[in-house]
Amino acid sequence: MTTTAKGAPDQKAGVTIAVGRRVFLGMTALGLAGIVFGARLESVLDSGLQRLFPWWPGFRIYSISGSYPMISEAEYRLEISGLVDRPRVFTLADLKAMPSTSFSQEFQCVTGWTVPNVEWEGVKLSDILDEAGVRQGATALSFESYDGADSESLTLYQAQLPDVIVAYRMLGAPVTTEHGGPVRLYVGPMFGYKSLKWLSAIRVVDQVIPGYWEQNGYPLNGWRDGSTGPTDLALTGGVA
Amino acid sequence: MNVRIDTYQQAVSRILRFDRVQRTAHWANALLFGILMLTALLLYFPGLSGIVGRRALVVNIHVWTGIALPVPLLISLLGPWGARMRRDLRRVNKWTRDEIAWLWALGRRAPRVVDKFNPGQKLNSLFVGGSIVVMLATGIVLKWFQFFPVSWRMGATFVHDVLAFAIFVVVIGHIIFALAHPESMRSMVKGWVTEGWAARHAPAWLREETGEMEEDQSVAHSD
């Protein structure tokens, strides 16, 4: 108060206005409104922004170990074991010899970033399971990654959905190392973290074993329609 | 004899611009911003993410640094030691019509009277304050996403990304300005500016500081 009294004689205009408070509150209000309405705004801006900034809105690469595991196409192996009649190891050529499926979908992370129209090609996970012969008593799958740290889980029901694939092509080219190549999982109905990269092994088990991100607080079932609460019962699967 | 003159000159010509509390708050804030911006780059750009990996660790550093972000400014403002901080906050808040005109002219026309802070500096402070609140709010939605609908998470991602971009622009601009004005930057390191600098850059403030000497006691008593 004393400050303004002293400052006053210096200012010919005399009057001061609390602009600072308005700027601060305005910025805060705009930011909070952006949380609620930003998704709509972004969908309008999206195409334009992508042309302006090539990196917008790109993939954010989630690598949880120190570096990417480098696996050549020739040395790639996918092991399937556990509660199956015919445990076996697939080479990339084995996978490519199986009937393939391809489609485009929006890739969406649980934290909100999306990449529209991502092309996928690979083998349906259900075909691989049929090939190995799932035994009585199996209820879930546990996936392992070449990076030695990441893991994922799906119920048997979820694994048999048509857009759950073992992918060897993505974005119109072989899956790059960065994106989890040469072979990764793609779980279409769920958020990105379920789509395990550098897929090395599938174990058929009798209960859901939470994967890496689930152990770090992500929901066990990453359904994209929003039913992502940790209370989702993995074993009741199909209701989503 | 030279020594005496130097001491004399220092005694009259140095004016305290930022006290220890303000400088500590500034550099603590700058350190937190620096950690956040560095980890942000790692989280955002695939090339960098690949080199460093260990995403869970980088995320943790980013999140907890973000939660700590408002702490230095709040402590420096709210404590009994924060008198100068609070007084400068009032300066940042109050704008003369002249300064508002500067804002509308997008800085092309210099304001007639410059107080302790020019309108650009005021805007920078306000932007930093607003950024802390908005980045914290959107960051909370992203970290504890389970409690928010998907459309909010997308909105929060959008705001967090756009504002992050703006923060990089403003912070780099702030550093360039600081490097271009070494005396101004020194005042954020050592606290003081010379009277000559104040006369050139903040004449109204200089008059206030020098005319205030005898009033200071009365202020102290009334506190």
Side-chain angles (χ1 to χ4, degrees):
Chain A
M1 266 159 267
T2 43
T3 320
T4 43
K6 282 171 208 156
D10 292 326
Q11 285 143 10
K12 291 228 170 68
V15 197
T16 57
I17 300 164
V19 173
R21 190 183 302 147
R22 289 172 212 187
V23 170
F24 176 77
L25 292 178
M27 188 173 165
T28 304
L30 200 64
L32 297 184
I35 296 177
V36 182
F37 303 110
R40 262 179 263 175
L41 180 68
E42 191 183 15
S43 62
V44 176
L45 294 177
D46 234 9
S47 50
L49 286 170
Q50 230 165 1
R51 240 169 288 137
L52 266 173
F53 312 107
W55 37 266
W56 185 297
F59 281 98
R60 290 166 180 63
I61 302 294
Y62 286 22
S63 164
I64 58 183
S65 59
S67 58
Y68 299 145
M70 304 290 285
I71 312 113
S72 72
E73 299 203 344
E75 65 186 357
Y76 178 80
R77 297 289 183 274
L78 172 61
E79 186 198 350
I80 180 160
S81 62
L83 299 172
V84 288
D85 294 327
R86 297 172 293 279
R88 65 170 283 192
V89 174
F90 294 86
T91 64
L92 184 57
D94 292 337
L95 293 173
K96 283 183 174 170
M98 293 176 70
S100 75
T101 179
S102 61
F103 52 86
S104 277
Q105 267 188 357
E106 181 183 67
F107 191 91
Q108 187 178 11
C109 176
V110 69
T111 56
W113 59 271
T114 58
V115 183
N117 301 320
V118 179
E119 289 170 53
W120 296 97
E121 187 181 336
V123 184
K124 280 184 189 162
L125 185 53
S126 58
D127 288 348
I128 292 176
L129 293 176
D130 290 346
E131 189 84 12
V134 174
R135 274 197 215 156
Q136 202 73 37
T139 57
L141 304 182
S142 178
F143 302 90
E144 285 167 29
S145 168
Y146 269 102
D147 75 357
D150 205 356
S151 54
E152 259 313 326
S153 69
L154 287 175
T155 65
L156 204 52
Y157 165 81
Q158 292 163 355
Q160 283 162 339
L161 293 171
D163 52 350
V164 176
I165 64 169
V166 170
Y168 45 75
R169 284 177 71 81
M170 174 187 177
L171 300 163
V175 181
T176 61
T177 299
E178 195 176 86
H179 285 303
V183 176
R184 71 178 292 178
L185 191 64
Y186 178 67
V187 183
M190 296 195 178
F191 289 114
Y193 69 91
K194 294 300 269 189
S195 296
L196 184 87
K197 303 205 286 191
W198 309 294
L199 179 64
S200 67
I202 302 172
R203 243 167 271 292
V204 182
V205 289
D206 60 3
Q207 60 174 17
V208 172
I209 303 163
Y212 177 84
W213 292 105
E214 284 94 84
Q215 288 165 27
N216 281 281
Y218 280 35
L220 208 48
N221 289 334
W223 298 112
R224 283 214 253 163
D225 63 4
S227 52
T228 54
T231 49
D232 268 13
L233 288 174
L235 289 171
T236 60
V239 279
Chain B
M1 203 161 105
N2 277 337
V3 176
R4 243 189 219 171
I5 289 168
D6 281 353
T7 327
Y8 171 77
Q9 276 179 341
Q10 279 177 8
V12 293
S13 70
R14 286 186 181 183
I15 297 179
L16 186 67
R17 188 164 180 239
F18 299 115
D19 68 10
R20 197 177 291 276
V21 172
Q22 293 177 297
R23 276 153 23 214
T24 310
H26 172 272
W27 290 110
N29 196 51
L31 178 69
L32 295 177
F33 260 88
I35 294 171
L36 284 163
M37 290 166 75
L38 190 72
T39 47
L41 289 175
L42 299 180
L43 295 173
Y44 196 87
F45 289 103
L48 294 173
S49 310
I51 294 167
V52 178
R54 297 179 185 82
R55 191 171 181 91
L57 175 67
V58 179
V59 166
N60 266 332
I61 295 172
H62 190 79
V63 166
W64 292 106
T65 310
I67 288 167
L69 189 57
V71 173
L73 291 183
L74 286 178
I75 290 180
S76 63
L77 274 170
L78 300 178
W81 44 74
R84 282 186 75 94
M85 195 76 182
R86 289 191 289 273
R87 204 160 71 171
D88 281 352
L89 185 64
R90 282 194 289 272
R91 291 181 206 273
V92 167
N93 182 30
K94 300 280 188 201
W95 290 52
T96 63
R97 300 216 170 274
D98 202 31
E99 289 173 324
I100 295 167
W102 173 91
L103 184 59
W104 289 127
L106 300 174
R108 283 190 294 268
R109 205 171 48 77
R112 283 187 300 260
V113 180
V114 182
D115 190 18
K116 182 169 181 179
F117 304 113
N118 69 39
Q121 292 165 332
K122 292 183 182 185
L123 219 47
N124 178 63
S125 312
L126 293 166
F127 175 82
V128 170
S131 296
I132 291 172
V133 175
V134 174
M135 290 310 257
L136 194 59
T138 50
I140 284 168
V141 174
L142 298 180
K143 173 64 187 171
W144 288 281
F145 58 81
Q146 297 97 320
F147 305 105
F148 303 95
V150 174
S151 77
W152 282 35
R153 302 177 203 168
M154 293 170 73
T157 302
F158 177 65
V159 174
H160 209 80
D161 285 3
V162 171
L163 188 52
F165 181 74
I167 288 171
F168 272 88
V169 173
V170 171
V171 167
I172 290 167
H174 178 67
I175 292 169
I176 290 171
F177 272 116
L179 294 175
H181 298 89
E183 180 152 7
S184 185
M185 184 163 68
R186 190 191 54 206
S187 72
M188 198 44 101
V189 178
K190 297 187 170 166
W192 51 270
V193 288
T194 61
E195 210 171 299
W197 182 92
R200 281 194 306 282
H201 295 279
W205 171 59
L206 175 63
R207 262 169 282 157
E208 182 192 317
E209 287 287 314
T210 47
E212 196 175 75
M213 298 295 190
E214 63 273 38
E215 284 180 71
D216 258 354
Q217 277 85 7
S218 64
V219 171
H221 285 301
S222 67
D223 273 347

